[in-house]
Amino acid sequence: MPTPKIAPEISAKFKAAIERRLREGYAPRGVSGGKGSSVRTAAKDLGIAAARLESWVYRQQKDKALGDEHFEPDWSVWNRAATNRGVKILSAARRWLLTASQNDTAVHAGFWQNLTAYAEHLGAEILVGPFTYQLGTFTDHTTRNNVFAEQVRPFLRFERQECGNVLFCAEMNTLPTANRPLSGLQTYTRGQWGVFPHAKVALETVPAMPGKDPPIIMTTGCCTVENYIAKKAGLKAAFHHVIGATLVEIDHKGRHFCRQINAIEDGSFQDLDVIVKSGTVSSGHRVAAINWGDIHRSILDPAVALGAWGIDAETLAPLSEGSMLDALRPFDQFFHDLFHGEAINHWQADKPHERYILHVKNRLNVDQEVKGCAAFLRSTRRDWCRSDVVESNHDYWIARWLQNTDIRKDLTNATAFHRWNLAVHQAVEQGANNFSIFRHVLHEADPSGLEGVNFIPIGSSFEICKDRGGIECGLHGHVGTNGSAGSTQNLTRVAIKINKGHDHQATVHDGVYSAGVCATDPNLQKGPSSHSKSHIVTYLNGKRTIVTMQGERWRA
């Protein structure tokens, strides 16, 4: 029988090296009798990642007897993986799929099938971080001395791994019952992005010095099923147990992109526009919604404007068709803090030097700022996507300004002040319920009257994915429980899933996801900052991920 033709990316040296090692009786590390070092040597000779080569070889020989001198690897499998990926072995983008495994616990069969299929599709390495859990009175908590499911053994890592410039802290053996698995780990990676093996999904942004992008640390999710003691700590851990992984991508410029992947009950999952189900990978799927980081239109970051919507930040002219919005095609897009309010900023009322800078730049006209917000909504609108404006604290500044300002000291905005105050008084006289002056001024500034735009006033509810338990998207996040100041931590006490803004930093705590910011404000960059250009993507299956941009790029 003729040997199948090798894919063009695979050299004769590769084929000879692997066949020789396989005939020696190769088994990956973690499998009894294995000689993992031989294949790792071959990988080093070829200049490819050892873990990737090990996983392919293991799949080839797992059903064959070790040491079979007549064994021939099925090179056609490698051919299909290489050609279907559309990338070369030494491609510009490198990818890793990171997950966690509990000792003495079975893997989720459906998820593992899909994870390995996605790894082949992407050309990604699978790395598994082990953790232990005490099910008996006396247990050895050393990960190296515990037994893990056979499927994950070739991929286990017990020490820190460098995935480009992202650290996989596989050495971190954290109890799965930990309520805050990232607690105390903000400085553990010394200013680098870090991923920690854990069954509960969590994500935090770590402050960085001005001019530097803040690092983000996160957990992986787990590839093994729930296996806990039926007491309070164990039952809580089971409630938050997530079958999932974290995808790390490094592009040709060394920029890193990390996304958490959460599977549903059958182990299938979606990553951006890709769905992996029953071992089959398909692309071109829409997402339910994108919650953009807080907009702050007048100081919108040009790179974010280009990457997120394909527009110029100043003129709003279309520049690109490959934006995040057009690639993912959400049914809803949510805008928080659309209005920045620099023309009427009460924080700068007693700072004449800062006000004069805005005066020189002709940016003290509140009417023009509102018209800029309306124009932004028009330029980002798509026929297949509803735009939802979530009224936020900066948006409310207009109502505050109308009530507190002595307009004799701000003649530039006198006309808008009197016109809008008249609208408020007329609404009161007419008995209008839930009148919002911000909605009114946007409607006034938009020739189409905000056609196709849904406005969500402060204190209102707006749920998406109701058939999957519902996710509340009507809260900006500045108002907490019982009238307190809002925060991500505060809103975890509400027993619902929430997508919010306000904090300007990507965060995942329990069921609350918080987006970052789309603007760059030099007045907020005078010290270390954790503000990140991050957005929440919600899938139709009710699962979510946070996408953080590097410049105009949002994926590798």
Side-chain angles (χ1 to χ4, degrees), residues 40 77 157 191 206-207 213 253 290 302 319 324 334 392 427 444 465 539:
R40 296 182 70 83
V77 174
R157 297 296 181 266
V206 180
D213 291 329
K253 292 186 177 180
I290 299 177
L319 298 177
M324 182 173 170
F334 292 89
S392 310
E444 177 189 87
C465 300
Y539 302 118

Side-chain angles (χ1 to χ4, degrees), residues 124-174:
E125 300 176 44
I126 296 177
L127 301 179
V128 180
F131 65 88
T132 59
Y133 179 63
Q134 182 177 357
L135 291 171
T137 306
F138 302 101
T139 304
D140 184 354
H141 290 291
T142 305
T143 54
R144 290 181 184 271
N145 295 333
N146 274 270
V147 177
F148 293 86
E150 182 179 355
Q151 296 97 315
V152 306
R153 292 176 194 169
F155 311 99
L156 286 173
R157 297 296 181 266
F158 300 94
E159 298 173 351
R160 181 176 298 192
Q161 304 288 311
E162 292 186 358
C163 303
N165 48 8
V166 177
L167 298 179
F168 180 38
C169 300
E171 76 280 11
M172 186 59 63
N173 182 12
T174 304

Side-chain angles (χ1 to χ4, degrees), residues 217-487:
I217 58 175
M218 64 193 76
T219 56
T220 56
C222 195
C223 66
T224 47
V225 298
E226 299 171 15
N227 187 14
Y228 301 105
I229 298 173
K231 292 188 176 182
K232 180 179 180 181
L235 294 173
K236 286 172 59 181
F239 178 79
H240 291 290
H241 186 98
V242 169
I243 299 297
T246 292
L247 173 63
V248 177
E249 298 182 308
I250 307 293
D251 72 2
H252 67 287
K253 292 186 177 180
R255 295 173 296 194
H256 45 271
F257 306 88
C258 298
R259 296 188 299 275
Q260 292 170 313
I261 295 172
N262 295 352
I264 61 175
E265 294 82 358
D266 64 0
S268 62
F269 59 82
Q270 183 167 353
D271 175 40
L272 299 180
D273 67 329
V274 175
I275 289 180
V276 188
K277 183 180 178 66
S278 301
T280 301
V281 181
S282 57
S283 59
H285 299 276
R286 298 183 66 177
V287 303
I290 299 177
N291 290 68
W292 302 110
D294 290 4
I295 303 299
H296 297 276
R297 165 67 190 99
S298 62
I299 57 171
L300 180 63
D301 188 293
V304 175
L306 178 60
W309 302 282
I311 60 174
D312 181 271
E314 290 295 327
T315 66
L316 302 179
L319 298 177
S320 170
E321 296 181 354
S323 69
M324 182 173 170
L325 175 64
D326 294 306
L328 301 185
R329 294 173 57 85
F331 289 92
D332 282 275
Q333 57 173 332
F334 292 89
F335 299 104
H336 291 249
D337 270 338
L338 173 63
F339 180 72
H340 180 53
E342 62 181 0
I344 56 172
N345 189 344
H346 55 277
W347 295 338
Q348 295 179 337
D350 297 324
K351 298 177 179 178
H353 290 174
E354 294 183 9
R355 299 286 293 172
Y356 189 69
I357 292 173
L358 295 174
H359 167 72
V360 170
K361 295 180 178 180
N362 194 29
R363 287 166 56 175
L364 285 178
N365 189 316
V366 67
D367 207 353
Q368 288 300 116
E369 190 172 352
V370 169
K371 289 178 180 177
C373 292
F376 172 81
L377 289 177
R378 288 197 299 274
S379 67
T380 57
R381 185 186 165 209
R382 303 291 189 273
D383 291 338
W384 36 261
C385 177
R386 177 172 51 193
S387 294
D388 303 286
V389 176
V390 180
E391 189 172 23
S392 310
N393 58 313
H394 275 253
D395 304 333
Y396 189 72
W397 281 8
I398 291 179
R400 178 176 182 153
W401 174 69
L402 292 176
Q403 296 182 75
N404 299 335
T405 298
D406 182 352
I407 200 59
R408 295 174 300 175
K409 300 178 181 179
D410 187 8
L411 297 180
T412 300
N413 295 310
T415 302
F417 178 87
H418 291 299
R419 187 172 74 249
W420 296 345
N421 255 318
L422 176 61
V424 173
H425 295 155
Q426 289 176 335
V428 172
E429 291 172 356
Q430 295 168 8
N433 294 322
N434 298 321
F435 176 78
S436 167
I437 186 59
F438 183 58
R439 173 168 50 189
H440 173 84
V441 300
L442 282 178
H443 189 280
E444 177 189 87
D446 184 9
S448 68
L450 294 183
E451 180 183 356
V453 176
N454 176 45
F455 192 87
I456 307 172
I458 292 176
S460 300
S461 173
F462 191 89
E463 269 192 292
I464 62 173
C465 300
K466 293 182 180 180
D467 59 333
R468 301 296 297 184
I471 300 173
E472 177 59 61
C473 294
L475 301 177
H476 173 57
H478 64 297
V479 178
T481 59
N482 301 318
S484 62
S487 68

Side-chain angles (χ1 to χ4, degrees), residues 30-231:
V31 178
S32 177
K35 297 181 180 179
S37 60
S38 60
V39 169
R40 296 182 70 83
T41 301
K44 184 177 181 181
D45 291 342
L46 294 162
I48 65 174
R52 180 176 175 186
L53 184 55
E54 283 181 344
S55 64
W56 179 79
V57 172
Y58 174 64
R59 288 193 299 275
Q60 287 294 293
Q61 197 175 347
K62 64 181 180 180
D63 296 325
K64 299 179 181 294
L66 295 176
D68 181 359
E69 62 180 11
H70 300 295
F71 170 72
E72 288 287 344
D74 182 3
W75 292 105
S76 62
V77 174
W78 183 281
N79 283 352
R80 288 196 300 274
T83 54
N84 288 343
R85 284 194 307 272
V87 295
K88 292 186 177 181
I89 298 296
L90 298 176
S91 62
R94 294 172 293 160
R95 295 178 174 88
W96 295 261
L97 282 164
L98 314 179
T99 187
S101 174
Q102 181 178 329
N103 64 309
D104 299 314
T105 305
V107 299
H108 189 294
F111 176 69
W112 189 254
Q113 177 191 24
N114 292 325
L115 187 70
T116 53
Y118 197 36
E120 284 198 16
H121 176 78
L122 293 174
E125 300 176 44
I126 296 177
L127 301 179
V128 180
F131 65 88
T132 59
Y133 179 63
Q134 182 177 357
L135 291 171
T137 306
F138 302 101
T139 304
D140 184 354
H141 290 291
T142 305
T143 54
R144 290 181 184 271
N145 295 333
N146 274 270
V147 177
F148 293 86
E150 182 179 355
Q151 296 97 315
V152 306
R153 292 176 194 169
F155 311 99
L156 286 173
R157 297 296 181 266
F158 300 94
E159 298 173 351
R160 181 176 298 192
Q161 304 288 311
E162 292 186 358
C163 303
N165 48 8
V166 177
L167 298 179
F168 180 38
C169 300
E171 76 280 11
M172 186 59 63
N173 182 12
T174 304
L175 280 173
T177 55
N179 189 42
R180 292 286 178 262
L182 296 176
S183 176
L185 298 177
Q186 289 78 6
T187 60
Y188 187 78
T189 58
R190 297 181 179 272
Q192 288 185 254
W193 282 51
V195 183
F196 297 84
H198 201 270
K200 181 178 182 179
V201 169
L203 183 148
E204 293 185 18
T205 310
V206 180
M209 291 298 292
K212 295 184 178 181
D213 291 329
I216 293 178
I217 58 175
M218 64 193 76
T219 56
T220 56
C222 195
C223 66
T224 47
V225 298
E226 299 171 15
N227 187 14
Y228 301 105
I229 298 173
K231 292 188 176 182

